[in-house]
Amino acid sequence: MWGIIIPFIVLILIFSFLSLYLTGLIKKMKTLEQMKDDFTHNMTHELKTPVAVAYSAADSMLRYYDQSDEERNRQFLKIIMQRLSYLSGMIENILSMSMERFRTMKLNIEDVELKPLVEDVSGMMELKADKPVDIDIEIPDGLSVQADSLHLGNILSNLIDNALKYSGDSVHITIKADLHSITISDNGIGIDKENLPFLFDKFYRVTSGDRYEISGYGLGLFYVKQVVGLMGWNIDVASRPGQGTKFTIRFDGNEKR
């Protein structure tokens, strides 16, 4: 009799285990599918906006071109270039989100003077802002680091863009740097401490309160974290609700002045 009961019990246990495993797998697949749908929706929204703005500016130049109004033409060209630059950064982020790509990515490490780079990036971000922006740059002249200038520019764009998004009707940003680190701090709405450990995770977005309505696709800070690591640096964040956010990138081992 036991020769029949014991195999039957074993089969029930195996069946129960497989049922639980398959249930968990199905839930995981549903979660991944939802993440994919959210990513597709957010990415499409993000890509459509700069394309529409650049298209409108180009269309205005073609339809109402006035050779004598050089200032107006220059302004339209600035808008187009700024939006194309923004698109380029977004595409680079999307292409770079693959861990395999990060492992094989070749960085062009060179001496990069920080102040001119920060001023260029800040100027572009001020152009795209739809609110009053005040950016203080406190970086010594001639200070340089060993970095990939393209990716460092993308890192700064992401961090400044976050400060613009997660703020009130106006924003004050301070960028400081020395031989050992660079900090980007703002007076924005801040981040709850429960969200801070997950801030650099792929696809993670803070969805509490009014932040749920802010556009994005959860890749910017993931990209920042990965590239900072590839350059041999590290990054941390400090924030409190209502007291702004400060990102600090530490140039571990950097000895260039």
Side-chain angles (χ1 to χ4, degrees):
M1 192 68 177
W2 283 107
I4 298 175
I5 295 174
I6 291 176
F8 181 71
I9 293 174
V10 171
L11 286 173
I12 290 176
L13 291 174
I14 293 174
F15 179 76
S16 299
F17 172 77
L18 289 175
S19 297
L20 290 173
Y21 175 76
L22 289 173
T23 301
L25 185 61
I26 291 171
K27 287 182 178 179
K28 184 177 180 180
M29 290 176 65
K30 286 183 178 179
T31 301
L32 291 173
E33 184 70 19
Q34 183 62 46
M35 290 172 64
K36 185 193 75 173
D37 290 343
D38 290 344
F39 166 71
T40 302
H41 172 77
N42 290 327
M43 182 185 68
T44 302
H45 174 77
E46 289 287 314
L47 290 174
K48 283 174 64 177
T49 301
V51 169
V53 172
Y55 177 85
S56 297
D59 184 62
S60 296
M61 288 195 70
L62 287 173
R63 289 174 177 270
Y64 312 107
Y65 182 73
D66 184 356
Q67 188 174 3
S68 63
D69 194 346
E70 185 176 345
E71 182 61 29
R72 175 178 174 274
N73 296 334
R74 183 180 291 109
Q75 185 62 32
F76 277 130
L77 288 173
K78 281 183 178 180
I79 292 172
I80 293 170
M81 289 299 296
Q82 185 269 324
R83 290 296 153 178
L84 290 177
S85 176
Y86 182 60
L87 267 176
S88 177
M90 289 174 62
I91 292 169
E92 182 64 28
N93 286 355
I94 294 168
L95 291 175
S96 298
M97 72 179 180
S98 165
M99 289 305 298
E100 184 62 32
R101 177 176 168 85
F102 276 121
R103 284 193 288 267
T104 60
M105 186 191 299
K106 300 291 186 183
L107 295 180
N108 181 28
I109 302 298
E110 58 186 350
D111 278 344
V112 178
E113 191 171 348
L114 278 178
K115 191 171 184 178
L117 178 63
V118 171
E119 289 175 340
D120 287 345
V121 172
S122 298
M124 285 194 299
M125 300 309 290
E126 286 176 333
L127 277 176
K128 68 157 281 187
D130 57 358
K131 65 181 74 174
V133 181
D134 180 24
I135 301 180
D136 286 339
I137 299 173
E138 302 177 17
I139 300 177
D141 293 332
L143 176 66
S144 65
V145 294
Q146 288 280 295
D148 182 302
S149 60
L150 172 63
H151 288 289
L152 181 54
N154 285 340
I155 287 170
L156 293 170
S157 295
N158 272 290
L159 297 178
I160 296 172
D161 189 51
N162 275 356
L164 295 174
K165 287 181 178 179
Y166 296 95
S167 60
D169 295 333
S170 63
V171 59
H172 178 80
I173 301 170
T174 302
I175 304 176
K176 299 181 180 181
D178 58 26
L179 181 62
H180 306 290
S181 65
I182 182 169
T183 62
I184 298 92
S185 55
D186 62 65
N187 64 339
I189 58 181
I191 305 167
D192 297 323
K193 64 179 181 180
E194 292 81 6
N195 289 296
L196 291 178
F198 311 103
L199 211 56
F200 297 103
D201 290 354
K202 187 190 291 188
F203 299 125
Y204 186 79
R205 297 189 64 217
V206 177
T207 56
S208 62
D210 56 0
R211 301 176 200 183
Y212 186 78
E213 300 299 327
I214 296 174
S215 62
Y217 46 95
L219 291 175
L221 290 180
F222 171 78
Y223 165 84
V224 167
K225 177 74 171 181
Q226 301 305 314
V227 176
V228 163
L230 282 176
M231 286 198 267
W233 304 342
N234 60 68
I235 183 170
D236 56 54
V237 56
S239 184
R240 288 185 178 182
Q243 298 184 28
T245 301
K246 181 168 83 170
F247 288 93
T248 302
I249 299 173
R250 306 188 190 281
F251 309 133
D252 292 354
N254 182 70
E255 297 179 354
K256 299 302 293 182
R257 294 183 182 271

